[in-house]
Amino acid sequence: MHGLQDRVHLIGPVYEREKKLAAYVDAVAFCLPSHREGFSIAILEAMTCRCPVVISRGCHFPEVAAGAGIIIDQTPAAISEALAQLLSDPAKGQSMGQAGAMLVRKSYTWPTIAERLGSAYQAYAHLR
């Protein structure tokens, strides 16, 4: 199909932790052209593993645009263009992977989430 069989692997769900981490680490990019996502753990997992992400606007993860990946319209042309950018510029992908890992550490670790939640409770404690 379009000469991509040797270069593109659509592997489907991977549930075993070690296999999943290995897939993210070995990937050139993680692509999720979803119509709608509430909050994608898969995007966080990919970024944690320093894998640049290509996601659609329907993923509702605007922070990715700050250097961790590419946010695209959900069209075949946009998907292929974004993936081609990463394939043709490995340094760009590596930089995005680093930025994604930093984003996860800064905003999405349990200590950070707990601190933000505690601050929110303190801010509204006077309403009791």
Side-chain angles (χ1 to χ4, degrees):
M1 183 171 144
H2 304 291
L4 298 175
Q5 299 92 322
D6 295 334
R7 298 181 291 156
V8 176
H9 304 281
L10 303 174
I11 59 174
V14 177
Y15 298 108
E16 295 177 42
R17 183 173 187 246
E18 289 76 23
K19 288 182 181 180
K20 184 186 294 190
L21 293 175
Y24 285 131
V25 169
D26 291 343
V28 172
F30 173 77
C31 184
L32 185 62
S34 180
H35 288 287
R36 284 185 204 91
E37 292 288 324
F39 185 77
S40 177
I41 297 299
I43 295 171
L44 286 178
E45 290 172 340
M47 290 191 304
T48 298
C49 293
R50 294 181 175 84
C51 184
V53 297
V54 174
I55 63 171
S56 61
R57 297 183 197 299
C59 290
H60 302 290
F61 211 129
E63 299 91 337
V64 165
I70 303 170
I71 299 177
I72 56 165
D73 291 325
Q74 195 182 35
T75 65
I79 295 166
S80 65
E81 182 180 321
L83 291 172
Q85 283 181 38
L86 293 174
L87 289 169
S88 66
D89 190 352
K92 180 177 185 173
Q94 190 172 30
S95 175
M96 287 181 171
Q98 294 289 345
M102 288 175 54
L103 171 64
V104 172
R105 281 193 304 274
K106 177 183 162 213
S107 300
Y108 295 101
T109 60
W110 283 117
T112 301
I113 292 167
E115 182 179 317
R116 288 171 42 198
L117 183 60
S119 295
Y121 279 135
Q122 287 179 341
Y124 293 100
H126 67 280
L127 298 176
R128 296 189 308 143

